[in-house]
Amino acid sequence: MPTAESGLGGLTQLRRDPGIDLLLLDFNMPDRSGTDTALKARTIRADLRIAIISGFITDALHAEADELCVVTVIFKPDTVAKSCEIIDRLTTGVPPP
């Protein structure tokens, strides 16, 4: 699984690796927000499943995520097991709960 330290790094990985089928973005990244990165990712791969993780989820974040066709917004303080379950569902094409 490729990883990146920033939104720009993630976009670079996405351009290089057509096998990436899920983009998991933190909302707060060093160089840009997760929603900004999701918007750019959509121009590279319109069919890509995208999830955003955040410790502070607002109605505005949900609305912006919906506009960008983000599959789900994951609450960062959730347990690791719950986050892994959501990611597993996303990689297998099963909608998260």
Side-chain angles (χ1 to χ4, degrees):
M1 174 186 316
T3 62
E5 298 284 325
S6 66
L8 183 58
L11 294 170
T12 299
Q13 288 285 351
L14 185 59
R15 285 184 188 98
R16 289 183 185 157
D17 187 349
I20 293 173
D21 58 0
L22 172 65
L23 194 59
L24 179 60
L25 302 168
D26 196 326
F27 179 70
N28 290 312
M29 293 185 285
D31 58 345
R32 64 182 66 213
S33 73
T35 52
D36 287 343
T37 304
L39 180 63
K40 297 284 187 194
R42 283 276 171 243
T43 66
I44 299 167
R45 294 258 316 275
D47 65 328
L48 185 67
R49 287 185 301 249
I50 300 173
I52 293 178
I53 188 166
S54 178
F56 186 69
I57 298 174
T58 63
D59 290 341
L61 174 55
H62 272 292
E64 193 171 2
D66 286 346
E67 272 185 42
L68 296 168
C69 298
V70 168
V71 177
T72 192
V73 177
I74 301 168
F75 187 50
K76 195 181 285 186
D78 278 347
T79 64
V80 171
K82 184 172 181 183
S83 296
C84 289
E85 176 189 339
I86 292 169
I87 292 166
D88 184 52
R89 287 172 155 260
L90 291 170
T91 59
T92 58
V94 177

